[in-house]
Amino acid sequence: MIARELEALLFLAPDPVPVAELADALRVEAEEVVAGLDALAVALAGRGIVLRELAGGWTLGSHPDAEEAARRLLARPRTPSLTPAQAETLSIVAYLQPVSRPEVARIRGVASESAAAALTERGLIEEAGRSQFGAVLYRTTPLFLKLFGLRSVDDLPDAAQWDPSPEDQAALRDRLLRAGEARG
Amino acid sequence: MIARELEALLFLAPDPVPVAELADALRVEAEEVVAGLDALAVALAGRGIVLRELAGGWTLGSHPDAEEAARRLLARPRTPSLTPAQAETLSIVAYLQPVSRPEVARIRGVASESAAAALTERGLIEEAGRSQFGAVLYRTTPLFLKLFGLRSVDDLPDAAQWDPSPEDQAALRDRLLRAGEARG
Amino acid sequence: MASDAVHLELDLDVFAGPFDLLLSLILREELDLLEVELAEIVLAYLDHLGARGELDLEAATEFLVLIAALLELKSRLMLPGEELEELDELAPGEAAEELLERLLAYARFRGAGADLAARREAEQGVLYRSAPLPPALRRAPLEQAEQAYEPAILGQALGSLLRTPPALDLRHIATPRVSLPERLAVLRGLLRRGTFAFDEAVRGADRMTEAVTLYALLELYKRGEAAWEQDASFGPVTVHARSSAGVTGAVA
C-alpha cells in the first residue's frame, strides 16, 4: 500500500519532498503519489503526526497539541563543556561587553566565527547592535548568567587572580588588545 | 489521548527516550506511558512507521518494506557489512566491556587495531578510559545498541551457545593432548 | 570433527610433515615456533584447497582457528618479559590446555560476532529520522536553566589572554625591521577617520614598510575591519572601514 511507504519516506526526510521525487523513489506515477497522500492524510486523522504541504513539497510534523510536552522533553539547555576557543571568546564578551567581532579576533589572534556561532546557538551570547563602523557587537544573555550562576555581569570573578601582570594599570580592554597584537 | 502525544514526542526526539522522561514531559505516571506505548504500537500496525525499544528508550523508525524506496530518496546506501575481524572484535567488546585492547588481541589471536579503529570510526565502540596498566579500554556506544536492535547489552544472546559442543571440545582436547604425547 | 586440516602435508624450511605433527612438536617445544614461517603454512593450505577444488567449510574453519592460535602463541613468544616466563612455566600438557582454552574462547566470540553481523544486516531495514528540531524547540526556556558552568573558567581564560609573550630580542639583526602590529596600528589609526588613501599610509616609507603595510591591509580585510576600492589599475587605493552589514564608504 502506497500510503504506508509514503508515510515512511516523509517520516525520514528532513525537508519537504516534492511529489515528483516521491514518485521517483517509489517508482510509480505522480498520480498514484497524489492519491496515496490523500489516503495518508485520512489515515493520520487523530494521530500524533500531521501531513502538511509546504514550500513545494510534502512533510510530516508533530501535532500542535503535543507542543508543550515536546518543549518539556526537548528544549533543555545544551551545556556541553566549553572548548578552549569558546571559553576564550565567551570570557572576552563577558568582561568587555559590548565587544565587536573584529575586536574578539584581534584579542584571540584568530578569527573566532565558529566559536561565536556555537555560543550564539547555545544562547550564551547574542548580537547587541553594531559598532560605529558597522561591525557586529556581542553581549552575554540572561541565559548566560543563569548557566554560570551569576546575578549580573558585575558578579564575574575578578580576573586579578589569573592575571600574569597585575601591576599594569591600563584598562582591561587595552591590555587584552595589546597582548593579542603581540601574540598575533 | 496519550498515544497521540507519545507519537508526536517520539517523532521529534532525535534519540530513543526512556519511559521516565516521557512521563515527565507528559506529566503522567510511568504506567500510563507504558499503556500509551502499547496503544501506539497497536495504532501503528500496518503503517509505515514502527515503534522500537532500543538503547534504553523508545523510538520510531521506518518500516522495512519502505527501505528500498527510502534509500533511493535519501541517497543513503546500505552500510557495508562487518568484516569477520570487525564482527569478532565487536562481539568481544560487547560481551566483555570494558575490555582492553591487548585482551581483544589475546582472544582473537591477532592484533586487532585496524578492526577496532574501523568500529570506532563507525561509532559502534568508543574508548572507556584506561586500564590500570594504561591500555585503552573499549565499550560499545548507544549507536551500537540502536543499529543492532538491542535495548541494552543485557539483551545480547548468551554467548555460551556458540561454544563447541562437549563432544567437539573433548575431541579437540584429545587431539591436542594426543598430539603432545604420541609423537615422542 | 573434520581432520582435513591436521593432515595437511607441509614442506617448510624448518619442518616437513603433516600439520598435526608440527603442532605437537611446537606444543612440546621440540620445534621453535619463532622459526616457523606461519605464512608458508597458510600458503600451503591455500594450495591444498586449490588442488581439492572444493571448500570444506568445517575443515577450513578448523584450520583458521589452529593457525590463529599459533599466530597468537608466536606473537607472545616474540614479546619479552613476564608473558614469556609465564609460558615457559607451562608443561606441554598445560600448554595444550591453554591452547584449548584459547580455541574455545575464540570459537565463542567468532560465533557471537557472526550473530552480531547477521543482526546488523537484519536491522538495516529500519531507518531512523535525523531531522533537526523545529526552531521553537531549539532554544531552552530561561526558567529551566540551572547552573552548569563555573565562572572561574572565564577568569582563567581571560588571564591567559592577558599574557604577553616575551618580546623577541632582535638586536642582533641589522636590517631595519617593520612590524606587522606596528603597521596594523597605523592603518587602524587612519581607519578611525572612516576612509583614507593607501598612499597616505605609506607616504615616505621604504619598500619594506610598503610591503608590510600592504600585508597589514590584507590582514584587516581578512578580519573584516577594512575594505578598499581602486577605480583603475595603478590608480589610487581608497581604504574604508568595513561593516558586515555592507555599509561602504565613509562613516563619520
Side-chain angles (χ1 to χ4, degrees):
Chain A
M1 197 177 107
I2 196 167
R4 229 179 111 186
E5 288 184 283
L6 283 169
E7 183 179 25
L9 295 186
L10 296 179
F11 166 77
L12 292 170
D15 299 307
V17 192
V19 168
E21 281 184 36
L22 292 168
D24 277 354
L26 292 167
R27 309 231 151 123
V28 298
E29 295 302 314
E31 294 74 44
E32 281 184 70
V33 170
V34 173
L37 287 167
D38 281 344
L40 179 58
V42 171
L44 288 176
R47 299 257 315 266
I49 294 173
V50 292
L51 178 66
R52 284 202 216 94
E53 187 176 11
L54 280 183
W58 292 84
T59 190
L60 291 177
S62 60
H63 197 286
D65 284 358
E67 198 179 315
E68 210 190 314
R71 189 160 285 129
R72 281 195 292 269
L73 179 67
L74 300 167
R76 279 167 305 188
R78 292 176 43 228
T79 55
S81 329
L82 299 174
T83 66
Q86 289 164 358
E88 285 184 11
T89 304
L90 185 57
S91 74
I92 295 167
V93 175
Y95 281 90
L96 300 187
Q97 57 190 311
V99 61
S100 75
R101 197 206 303 246
E103 259 179 316
V104 174
R106 274 170 68 186
I107 292 170
R108 292 200 56 235
V110 284
S112 307
E113 269 75 23
S114 70
L119 294 169
T120 308
E121 156 85 27
R122 288 197 218 153
L124 290 168
I125 64 173
E126 63 189 3
E127 292 192 10
R130 307 239 165 209
S131 76
Q132 57 172 328
F133 302 121
V136 172
L137 293 171
Y138 289 116
R139 67 173 168 224
T140 56
T141 61
L143 181 63
F144 161 80
L145 293 176
K146 208 123 182 235
L147 292 180
F148 277 85
L150 300 166
R151 270 166 308 167
S152 80
V153 287
D154 299 333
D155 274 357
L156 280 167
D158 186 352
Q161 54 180 308
W162 297 286
D163 191 343
S165 47
E167 65 287 350
D168 197 324
Q169 292 304 304
L172 193 57
R173 185 181 226 100
D174 291 338
R175 291 181 53 205
L176 283 168
L177 287 167
R178 227 166 43 211
E181 263 154 42
R183 281 193 303 268
Chain B
M1 187 163 114
I2 197 169
R4 225 177 110 181
E5 288 184 284
L6 284 170
E7 185 177 25
L9 293 183
L10 296 181
F11 173 81
L12 291 170
D15 297 304
V17 193
V19 167
E21 284 186 29
L22 292 168
D24 277 355
L26 292 167
R27 308 234 152 125
V28 299
E29 295 301 314
E31 294 75 48
E32 282 185 68
V33 170
V34 172
L37 288 166
D38 281 345
L40 179 58
V42 171
L44 288 175
R47 313 225 30 102
I49 295 173
V50 292
L51 178 66
R52 311 284 314 266
E53 188 181 6
L54 292 175
W58 291 84
T59 192
L60 296 175
S62 64
H63 195 284
D65 285 356
E67 183 196 351
E68 223 181 297
R71 293 196 185 280
R72 273 197 296 271
L73 178 72
L74 305 171
R76 252 203 262 169
R78 276 196 157 219
T79 48
S81 356
L82 297 173
T83 65
Q86 288 167 2
E88 286 170 19
T89 303
L90 183 59
S91 74
I92 293 168
V93 174
Y95 282 90
L96 302 183
Q97 59 188 312
V99 62
S100 74
R101 202 205 296 245
E103 244 177 310
V104 175
R106 234 175 84 91
I107 293 171
R108 292 200 53 232
V110 284
S112 306
E113 268 75 29
S114 69
L119 293 169
T120 309
E121 170 81 6
R122 288 170 80 161
L124 299 175
I125 64 172
E126 64 188 1
E127 291 191 14
R130 295 189 174 265
S131 75
Q132 52 180 16
F133 306 114
V136 172
L137 293 170
Y138 289 112
R139 65 173 170 226
T140 55
T141 61
L143 181 67
F144 160 76
L145 295 175
K146 191 168 168 184
L147 294 183
F148 285 73
L150 297 164
R151 272 171 301 181
S152 77
V153 287
D154 300 334
D155 244 16
L156 284 166
D158 185 0
Q161 63 182 290
W162 293 292
D163 288 348
S165 69
E167 299 80 53
D168 285 351
Q169 289 189 33
L172 191 54
R173 172 180 283 113
D174 252 20
R175 223 186 35 253
L176 285 168
L177 288 173
R178 217 168 349 111
E181 288 157 10
R183 316 265 174 183
Chain C
M1 190 168 233
S3 51
D4 177 77
V6 297
H7 295 317
L8 175 67
E9 278 292 325
L10 296 167
D11 185 9
L12 312 177
D13 287 349
V14 294
F15 171 84
F19 187 33
D20 60 343
L21 174 59
L22 176 74
L23 273 178
S24 71
L25 289 176
I26 290 169
L27 286 171
R28 292 171 54 228
E29 296 178 330
E30 286 175 21
L31 184 68
D32 190 352
L33 179 57
L34 287 174
E35 290 176 20
V36 179
E37 190 66 66
L38 295 177
E40 276 187 67
I41 301 178
V42 175
L43 288 176
Y45 187 65
L46 288 175
D47 283 343
H48 166 75
L49 282 183
R52 284 181 46 139
E54 62 180 66
L55 182 61
D56 178 347
L57 265 183
E58 207 180 330
T61 308
E62 187 190 14
F63 174 78
L64 281 178
V65 170
L66 289 171
I67 200 78
L70 282 177
L71 273 169
E72 200 266 347
L73 264 181
K74 184 171 175 179
S75 61
R76 275 184 53 170
L77 284 172
M78 288 158 79
L79 293 171
E82 62 181 87
E83 284 258 314
L84 191 61
E85 282 166 32
E86 186 189 304
L87 205 73
D88 277 347
E89 288 163 13
L90 293 180
E94 287 173 319
E97 281 297 329
E98 164 97 9
L99 185 54
L100 180 69
E101 280 304 305
R102 299 283 181 78
L103 295 179
L104 294 181
Y106 177 68
R108 165 182 293 197
F109 289 109
R110 196 177 36 143
D115 176 68
L116 279 179
R119 183 179 283 272
R120 174 71 194 115
E121 284 307 299
E123 284 291 322
Q124 284 237 35
V126 181
L127 285 93
Y128 299 95
R129 223 169 106 80
S130 57
L133 283 179
L137 293 175
R138 269 179 241 165
R139 182 64 52 83
L142 196 54
E143 319 81 67
Q144 280 188 17
E146 281 166 20
Q147 181 169 1
Y149 301 110
E150 278 309 315
I153 61 178
L154 297 176
Q156 274 160 3
L158 200 77
S160 73
L161 289 168
L162 281 168
R163 188 158 290 121
T164 315
L168 290 177
D169 184 355
L170 297 163
R171 279 170 302 184
H172 59 287
I173 297 175
T175 41
R177 187 170 177 281
V178 197
S179 80
L180 182 61
E182 191 184 308
R183 297 317 290 172
L184 279 171
V186 169
L187 291 181
R188 285 194 177 113
L190 290 165
L191 267 182
R192 286 204 191 99
R193 305 196 324 234
T195 178
F196 65 90
F198 185 71
D199 284 347
E200 214 178 320
V202 293
R203 187 160 296 145
D206 56 33
R207 287 179 67 83
M208 185 63 174
T209 307
E210 254 183 71
V212 175
T213 309
L214 184 63
Y215 183 69
L217 181 61
L218 292 172
E219 186 64 23
L220 288 179
Y221 176 75
K222 195 178 89 190
R223 297 186 189 188
E225 293 178 55
W228 61 83
E229 277 142 20
Q230 186 177 29
D231 292 331
S233 301
F234 303 107
V237 175
T238 309
V239 183
H240 54 80
R242 183 156 163 256
S243 86
S244 14
V247 181
T248 53
V251 179

